[in-house]
Amino acid sequence: MGRYDGRVAIVTGAARGIGAGIAKRFADEGAAVAVLDLDEGQASATAGGLGAAKALGVGCNVTDEASVQDAVARVVAELGGLHVLVNNAGITRDNLLFKMTVDDWDAVLGVHLRGAFLMSRAAQKTFVEQKYGKILNLSSVSANGNRGQANYSAAKAGVQGFTRTLALELGAFGVNVNAIAPGFIATEMTDDTARRLKMDVDEFRRLNAEANPVKRIGHPEDIAAAAAFLCSDEASYITGQTLYVDGGAKI
Ligand code: NAP
């Protein structure tokens, strides 16, 4: 018996990184999992590797209203329902304010905020009708401010306000809405940051581990463990919260 037996979960941006880690953990605990990502081939490859009884890879751009609606409808039809939504898809376009372009700003706000909004709005219909649902949004320690990330920081702080508001609106319908704010997690996103800073990836990871109170960097499994708790029925009295999973980096 798994905590997620009989549940259907969507994880966006789940072809790799944190999303793939969350998808794997849900599958291990019994869920049918839909991996949504820009490239359907990559999404399907990840879905196929989850070892789930039922899994589906769907090409979806979370910033595109029609793409989101089609993807959610397809998951409900092919996996037989929807119980959990994780808004994980994300991008960075880092730059100091004076060098940040309007495209950098719009792209980041678009994926994190418009994307989470469109996905949540599409999923809430099923959640409210069945009086059951879990939404988990990915924020970041950068919500508290991070040099070179005005766009990303604003988006991730916005995710926290979005989370609290959905919790207020949807609580009466049996829907819990929470957020996780990760610290440094070893993924393509942080490896890209190292390369942009012209640093060796391993050295970048080592320095981040050294600066962290628990003296290590995080891995997708660290976020997946917290996600599996927050989207489970054990957490049904927890809503509107942002859990920092950062080794104490924010302290
Ligand atoms: P990642 O390895 O870069 O993976 C992000 C995934 O999202 C990629 O597969 C990407 O696809 C997909 N994606 C991008 N735009 C999309 C769109 N419009 N529609 C659908 N999918 C899209 O990033 P990650 O490190 O796993 O991060 C996952 C989440 O955690 C993000 O929200 C990120 O901001 C947050 N986070 C990460 C860290 C960290 O240290 N890694 C820390 C705090 C918060 P493509 O490859 O095709 O672009």
Side-chain angles (χ1 to χ4, degrees), residues 83-87 116 119-121 123-124 127 133-137 162-163 166 170 175-179 230-231:
H83 306 91
V84 179
L85 166 66
V86 180
N87 288 310
M119 287 297 308
S120 301
R121 195 183 60 172
Q124 62 81 34
F127 291 169
K134 310 283 180 189
I135 299 175
L136 181 68
N137 299 315
F162 178 68
T163 299
L166 293 201
L170 298 176
V175 182
N176 296 67
V177 189
N178 290 294
L230 285 174
C231 295

Side-chain angles (χ1 to χ4, degrees), residues 3-4 18 21-22 25-26 29 136 180 219-232 234 243 245:
R3 278 191 293 189
Y4 285 86
I18 292 171
I22 294 172
R25 177 71 186 243
F26 285 163
E29 295 208 30
L136 181 68
I180 291 176
H219 298 280
E221 294 76 15
D222 293 308
I223 306 305
F229 169 64
L230 285 174
C231 295
S232 76
E234 290 173 285
L243 178 64
V245 182

Side-chain angles (χ1 to χ4, degrees), residues 76-223:
V76 172
E78 293 190 30
L79 295 182
L82 184 61
H83 306 91
V84 179
L85 166 66
V86 180
N87 288 310
N88 167 83
I91 60 168
T92 53
R93 296 285 184 273
D94 297 353
N95 233 326
L96 293 174
L97 179 64
F98 77 102
K99 286 198 265 186
M100 188 172 284
T101 66
V102 171
D103 282 352
D104 291 337
W105 178 268
D106 288 346
V108 170
L109 275 284
V111 176
H112 296 278
L113 286 179
R114 180 185 163 94
F117 156 65
L118 289 174
M119 287 297 308
S120 301
R121 195 183 60 172
Q124 62 81 34
K125 188 173 179 297
T126 302
F127 291 169
V128 168
E129 276 169 13
Q130 70 196 6
K131 294 232 173 336
Y132 184 94
K134 310 283 180 189
I135 299 175
L136 181 68
N137 299 315
L138 268 290
S139 178
S140 167
V141 290
S142 296
N144 301 309
N146 196 26
R147 189 178 160 79
Q149 289 198 312
N151 49 1
Y152 186 78
S153 170
K156 292 307 199 183
V159 163
Q160 296 191 17
F162 178 68
T163 299
R164 285 192 291 273
T165 300
L166 293 201
L168 289 171
E169 292 186 13
L170 298 176
F173 301 98
V175 182
N176 296 67
V177 189
N178 290 294
I180 291 176
F184 186 105
I185 308 297
T187 68
E188 202 54 47
M189 182 177 276
T190 42
D191 289 354
D192 273 350
T193 303
R195 288 187 280 266
R196 195 175 40 77
L197 297 172
K198 301 194 184 341
M199 286 182 69
D200 176 69
V201 166
D202 289 336
E203 178 63 359
F204 189 57
R205 291 181 178 190
R206 191 189 67 73
L207 289 171
N208 274 281
E210 199 174 84
N212 190 284
V214 302
K215 301 298 169 203
R216 72 169 177 90
I217 56 167
H219 298 280
E221 294 76 15
D222 293 308
I223 306 305

